Amino acid sequence: MSARNEHPAAPCGATTTPTHVRVEAPARLHLGFIDVSGSLGRRFGSIGLALADLATVVELRRADRLHAEGPDATRALDYLQRLVDEHDPPDGVAVRIHQAIPEHAGLGSGTQLAFAIGRAFSELFGIAYSSMSTATRLDRGARSGIGIGAFEQGGFVVDGGRAAGGGPPPVIARLPFPPAWRMLLVFDRNERGLHGEAERDAFRRLKAFPQERAAHLAHLVLMRAMPALAEEDCQRFGAAVGEIQRVVGDYFALAQGGRFASDAVAAALAWLELRGIGGVGQTSWGPTGFALIDSEVRAHAVLAEARRVFADRPQLDFAVVRGRNTGHHLEAWNAAAAGATQQGRDQRR
């Protein structure tokens, strides 16, 4: 997505070098792997969806020293330090995280923070590199390219898995998500999804993913989920995603204690299925669950009922969110030039 400067333009003769850059990066749902073991040639392969109502927003500015503030500041500072060490920019740089995707909830918080900082840094100092190269520099996209697809394009995305010895998985397909559809998210405040060394250890201990199961998932993605989405058939798309989730969830059950990481989320998802709601599953390692609903009106009715039914489980929270069919949003501006422009306007009044 190209940069969009929504701040006052610089007056004639003033520098246009940015002093501030702000990037909004959308959260994403990881809807499932296709071939975890690479039995058909490429390992992993993923499907996912960018979300419109959850995002990380970072602002980088030229500064005297390296500095980070806001939620997830420690991780942001680590990403920024790596970029500074590699490029040795002429000025210091500070980052402020205005808003952050919840950590370790399966929504892509670390990946989207990395991409947002990388994109803002490249704009601030005129360094040209892609999200794919940012993923390599900042150790993101080891197993999935969904975060890259959500950041760059939005919508429903499919990545082609990792080749042996290759870099981050390439995004190979993208479809718009119908604007009328909604996702109901189910959060568990008391649980955190696997991450870091625990996640790496879980992948090391997993058994080989059967080839016939990988072939079944590939067929579900290509011949059921994607055509249903293209035809805006919510019921068929939800059924395909639900089947993918059952296969993948059962494969990861030993690593996360069941098909779903949270017993409370599992209970809520089972209740949703009993009500005839499809597209039920868990994003990444969870604990966040999701369900697909065909309209905003129905989604909010289900949301209200779910809050009543599960009022005795205070750790659960529910939210209705939209899909997002655009990638990240960027604003860049020169604070001195913007100030001069405003001063000139004031003097002409």
Side-chain angles (χ1 to χ4, degrees):
M1 183 176 179
S2 60
R4 290 169 56 190
N5 189 336
E6 297 189 351
H7 292 264
C12 182
T15 178
T16 56
T17 301
T19 60
H20 294 68
V21 179
R22 182 178 297 185
V23 174
E24 178 191 71
R28 60 93 181 114
L29 296 178
H30 191 285
L31 301 177
F33 285 117
I34 299 170
D35 188 358
V36 180
S37 301
S39 61
L40 298 176
R42 296 180 69 95
R43 194 173 182 198
F44 301 114
S46 306
I47 59 173
L49 174 68
L51 299 179
D53 302 292
L54 290 168
T56 286
V57 180
V58 306
E59 183 180 319
L60 265 63
R61 61 179 175 84
R62 295 172 186 263
D64 296 332
R65 63 188 178 91
L66 198 64
H67 176 66
E69 59 180 310
D72 217 1
T74 300
R75 183 157 51 172
L77 190 61
D78 174 63
Y79 292 149
L80 195 56
Q81 183 69 65
R82 294 195 220 179
L83 297 174
V84 168
D85 289 345
E86 179 179 355
H87 295 285
D88 191 22
D91 300 307
V93 58
V95 58
R96 181 179 180 187
I97 299 100
H98 292 274
Q99 179 180 322
I101 298 165
E103 285 187 90
H104 310 309
L107 298 170
S109 61
T111 297
Q112 299 308 96
L113 177 64
F115 289 150
I117 288 176
R119 181 68 184 90
F121 186 88
S122 68
E123 183 74 17
L124 192 64
F125 295 109
I127 300 166
Y129 53 71
S130 65
S131 295
M132 192 69 79
S133 62
T134 298
T136 301
R137 283 177 170 87
L138 300 181
D139 299 325
R140 309 308 304 180
R143 286 170 286 275
S144 171
I146 296 306
I148 296 173
F151 185 78
E152 288 293 344
Q153 304 177 60
F156 173 85
V157 292
V158 183
D159 80 60
R162 289 182 66 106
V171 174
I172 59 172
R174 185 262 184 198
L175 288 170
F177 192 74
W181 296 3
R182 296 292 183 267
M183 302 300 293
L184 177 68
L185 302 186
V186 187
F187 301 98
D188 185 336
R189 298 190 189 94
N190 294 347
E191 299 288 343
R192 288 157 65 93
L194 287 178
H195 59 279
E197 186 54 37
E199 179 184 17
R200 290 187 286 272
D201 183 61
F203 273 107
R204 285 192 291 266
R205 291 186 289 106
L206 286 169
K207 296 180 180 179
F209 195 72
Q211 188 178 80
E212 65 274 11
R213 212 170 295 173
H216 176 54
L217 292 178
H219 184 270
L220 282 171
V221 171
L222 181 62
M223 300 302 291
R224 288 182 58 188
M226 292 179 69
L229 186 59
E231 295 172 345
E232 299 193 11
D233 187 326
C234 189
Q235 183 176 1
R236 291 183 183 276
F237 179 72
V241 170
E243 175 63 14
I244 292 165
Q245 281 285 314
R246 284 188 288 275
V247 174
V248 175
D250 289 345
Y251 174 71
F252 284 103
L254 288 177
Q256 62 184 12
R259 181 178 290 175
F260 304 113
S262 160
D263 290 341
V265 170
L269 296 180
W271 173 80
L272 288 165
E273 285 192 299
L274 286 173
R275 296 185 82 259
I277 294 171
V280 166
Q282 171 184 289
T283 174
S284 189
W285 288 105
T288 306
F290 61 81
L292 176 67
I293 302 178
D294 61 0
S295 73
E296 183 171 10
V297 171
R298 188 182 181 208
H300 281 282
V302 174
L303 171 70
E305 188 177 359
R307 286 174 172 167
R308 288 195 301 271
V309 170
F310 293 96
D312 61 340
R313 294 182 185 250
Q315 76 270 36
L316 285 183
D317 196 11
F318 301 85
V320 171
V321 298
R322 298 165 295 152
R324 173 168 169 155
N325 286 320
T326 57
H328 67 282
H329 175 72
L330 182 149
E331 301 172 56
W333 68 99
N334 183 292
T341 300
Q342 186 60 50
Q343 183 180 17
R345 288 172 178 164
D346 292 342
Q347 289 173 347
R348 290 193 296 271
R349 289 174 181 168

